[in-house]
Amino acid sequence: MDDDAKPAAGTSDALEAAQRRLHLTLDAAGAVCAWEWDIPANRLLADARFAAITRQDPVALADGVSPDHFFASIHPDDLKRVKLAVAGILAGSEVFSKEYRLVRNDGGYRWVHARGRTIFDDNDEPIKFTGVLVDITEQKRIHEQLRIAQSAGGIGTFEHIVGFGTTTVSEQFCHLFGLHPTRVLPVRTLNDLIHPADEPLIDLTDPNGLQNERNIEFRVRRANDGQERWLARRGEYVDDIESNGRRYVGVIFDVTDAKRTQESLHQANQKLSEIARDSLRDRDRVWKNSRDLLVVIGTDGVFRDVSPSWQQILGHFPEDVVGKQVLDLVWAEDRDQAQPDLKKAIENVYAELEVSLTHADGSQRIVSWMTSREDDLVYAYGRDITLERQQKAVLEQTEDQLRQAQKMEAVGQLTGGIAHDFNNMLTGVIGALSIIRRRIAANRLDDLDKYLDAASSSAHRAAALTHRLLAFSRRQSLERHPIDLTQLIASMEELFRRTLGERVELLIKTTPDTWKAVTDANQLESAVLNLVINARDAMPDGGKLTIETSNVVLGEADLARGETLRPGSYVVLAVSDTGIGMSQATIEKAFEPFFTTKPIGQGTGLGLSMIYGFAQQSGGHVRIYSQVGVGTTIKLYLPRSVEEVGAQSTDVGEDFVPPRGEGETVLVVEDDDAVRMLVVDVLKDLGYRVSEAIDGTQALPLIEGKSRIDLLVTDVGLPGLNGRQLAEIAIAARPSLKVLFITGYAATAASRADFLAPGMEMITKPFAIDDLAQKVKEILTTSA
């Protein structure tokens, strides 16, 4: 008995007296308690175990309580059934057996099984009822769990004792037969619901005989809805302790769906068999009449079977091919490549490959194969694509010739355009110089400035053209550093408005949080101005031009095929117009040199090509978005800078006085005689001591000598030893030597930051003499 069920010490005598009156010996576990009803006195007596179960006063129960007190402890849902059973006792019923719930004082309840018998007097009047109360709460909990499990799994249980005509069943068992839930059912009732052609649940032809223990399946006509369902029975015999006989314990469950699926599969198999027979006939027709190659190959690489088409396509009779190794028919030059292809077909369920085979006449046949492996065989379908390959080769050759012709046309257009523009510019230079020479010879010096200005203007135009050509070819020298696009656009706004005129509305959308871009400021200004001019020309009747900046981070998914952009952070400068727009064909040619949609004489066709080359050289890109009749947007992508923007250099004014030297020694290395003469004379005029050399070979003795050299001025594109190599040798011999590179075109000098080492500077041809003087002075001053 639990500790909380033990009686107090002062009540032991009363409890012992009650137990003597009940004449009951209690079990040690305390699971059974005794009770007695004195019917004439209408008093109920119970022992301490009853009190423990119900958590009531054990003394009061030992002295006896009224039946009303007993009824008060019964769960309200069970009270009616118990009262009906008690009424039966009073009416003369001899046996009492009920399961119900007793409510405890703490609000909980326990399941109990009460059973007993009525004692009658000589007049057959009931005078006493004695019984026991068994706590079956745990059994109820286990039974409920089992019931839920059976219901969820659709499994019904039953037990049948040999020799009896009834069987004990579960609630789910009744549900499967379509019967109302009950505990016991007649076996004949169940067998009557089973299809006559099937085995019964329990065979009663020999009531005392054992049932067949094998698994059986049978059909039942459910009692409640008339449905026919398939049920399966499983079970085995065990010894029955109470009857000292044998008891069959079994389960049943619904297998209707499985039976229907089985029947459907059977019908499907029959249908598939019919289809297979038809398919086999179709396969034979395909095999015999196919115009492509069909083959069965073993995993050992041996032909098992080939279609008759082998004779028409490859000139080999099928019987001559079967039994040979696949490699025996492969084109000799392709056998090394065919071995891994054959291995691929054997090791993979599906494969696609091309293998060249040898025709019976010794020629090569290219065959495209699709293979499918099943078990130890590879089934292959081959299509002769030799003619296609030959046609493709001819087409590629024709395309190559067309591309070469287009290249030659582009080169011709390029050289023609350059020749035309340079002839105009050279005419201005040569003509002006010729007139100046004649005027000097005639001592007419009063009107030479206009001819000097004309020559200078033509020369500057030629310099601008070469810069555009170098930008297109991505060979110009860029001085890249962080640029504030917002500030740059703002500084050019007045220039834009003068360029656009009154008929075009200018809208600038820049934000202070725009990132800094890494590029060449001068080249960027030229590019933006070109875009503005192009946009203006695309709006002959006026319109709106918008310049805006934004930040963008591009991933792999954002990059179009063929673009040179890499994933990363970029500053985007977009120029949009509301002009005539461009077709897709025009967009595809927009970056080609000298391609223009403007009338002859109104455009060089180098603007967009220069911008494209500049963007590519800066590590960025250009994209065009346009629609005919709507307008065009050109976006310039420039890499983001993580550095601060440095102070911008100011332009040299017209009254600028070149700084003079202080006797420093400069070594000039230049292979062009005219350029070398000009540089040497200018430096001498500015007070420098100058040594000169035509190339690196002539300069090396001077560098390796003992004479003083403060600055090396060298062309980058020298014959033989180039300027960069000469500078490295010079610095190795004279570590403190400063270097100034002069370049007009140098592939390796395109990016100054990558080309120049500490102590080196660069100036680009053509340059003003004053710019050269300023650069030389800056280098020597920094050195000092």
Side-chain angles (χ1 to χ4, degrees), residues 252-298:
I252 62 170
F253 49 92
D254 195 310
V255 293
T256 305
D257 291 341
K259 278 288 188 179
R260 290 173 178 172
T261 302
Q262 184 179 358
E263 179 63 24
S264 297
L265 287 175
H266 176 69
Q267 294 176 0
N269 287 333
Q270 288 182 328
K271 185 64 176 177
L272 285 175
S273 297
E274 296 176 3
I275 294 174
R277 287 191 292 271
D278 295 339
S279 177
L280 185 60
R281 289 191 292 267
D282 293 341
R283 181 262 184 195
D284 289 339
R285 284 195 294 269
V286 171
W287 182 267
K288 294 177 181 178
N289 301 323
S290 174
R291 296 184 179 181
D292 294 316
L293 300 174
L294 303 177
V295 60
V296 181
I297 303 171

